Amino acid sequence: MLLIMTVSLITFTGCKSDDDGGDGGNAANGTIEASVDGAGFTSLNITSIATLANGNLILQGNDADGKGIVITIFAYDGVGTYDFTGADPLILHTAVYIETDINNPMNSQSWSAPFDTTMVGSVSISSETDDNIQGTFNFTGQNANDNSQKVITDGSFNLDKQVL
C-alpha cells in the first residue's frame, strides 16, 4: 500500500513542473501566436479556442493557410508550467504543429511533441478566468513520416475558454 501511495504521489506531482505560469505572452485576444522555424504564425480568432473537458485542457488555433497548433494538457491542474516529455508514460502533455495540404489532404503533415523520453518544450498557463486563458509555450515537434523537426518558439495564447 505504501508503494502504491508513493508511486501515486510521484505521478501526480509530476503533472506540473511548477506553479509559476510565467507572463501571459503577447498574443492578441482570441489568438495563438508563435514562431515556427523562424516564420510567424498567428491563428484566426474564429478558429481559436480553449476547451476544458473532463479535466483536460485543449488549446487550438488555425490560420487561413491551413496551419495549426494544438496543445493538450492532460489532468489539467490550473496555473503553472506543464512539460512536453515522454519520460513518464502516465503523464503526457502534447503539442502538435500541423500543415494541412488543402489540395491534397492526404499529404498533410504534422510535427508532434513529445517524440521520445526527453523534454522538448513546455506550456505555461499564466492566468485563467471563467471565460479566458493566457500563457506561453515552446516545443520541438517531430514528423513521424520522415523524422524532420520543427522548432516552435515565442508561443503565446490569449483564448476564450469553454467548459464542457
Side-chain angles (χ1 to χ4, degrees), residues 7-145:
V7 169
S8 296
L9 179 62
I10 291 169
T11 299
F12 288 119
T13 57
C15 292
K16 262 195 304 194
S17 63
D18 63 46
D19 288 332
D20 178 16
D23 68 24
N26 300 317
N29 189 38
T31 67
I32 297 175
E33 297 180 5
S35 175
V36 179
D37 281 346
F41 168 86
T42 301
S43 68
L44 300 170
N45 185 294
I46 195 167
T47 66
S48 304
I49 190 91
T51 304
L52 182 59
N54 299 319
N56 303 313
L57 179 65
I58 301 168
L59 312 169
Q60 61 186 23
N62 299 2
D63 70 7
D65 296 323
K67 297 173 183 157
I69 292 177
V70 179
I71 296 172
T72 304
I73 302 172
F74 293 97
Y76 176 66
D77 192 29
V79 170
T81 299
Y82 301 83
D83 296 332
F84 301 127
T85 178
D88 184 349
L90 299 176
I91 306 299
L92 189 62
H93 312 301
T94 63
V96 181
Y97 171 70
I98 303 159
E99 290 182 354
T100 304
D101 184 338
I102 297 169
N103 297 319
N104 183 4
M106 295 300 293
N107 195 35
S108 297
Q109 300 293 313
S110 62
W111 291 262
S112 301
F115 49 86
D116 61 18
T117 60
T118 61
M119 188 174 105
V120 292
S122 63
V123 57
S124 296
I125 308 299
S126 59
S127 69
E128 178 182 14
T129 65
D130 289 341
D131 59 1
N132 181 270
I133 193 159
Q134 297 179 34
T136 58
F137 65 93
N138 67 80
F139 66 94
T140 298
Q142 183 167 298
N143 185 307
N145 295 327

Side-chain angles (χ1 to χ4, degrees), residues 150-163:
K150 295 249 184 210
V151 178
I152 290 76
T153 58
D154 300 321
S156 61
F157 52 89
N158 181 351
L159 298 173
D160 293 337
K161 184 181 87 174
Q162 65 180 358
V163 179

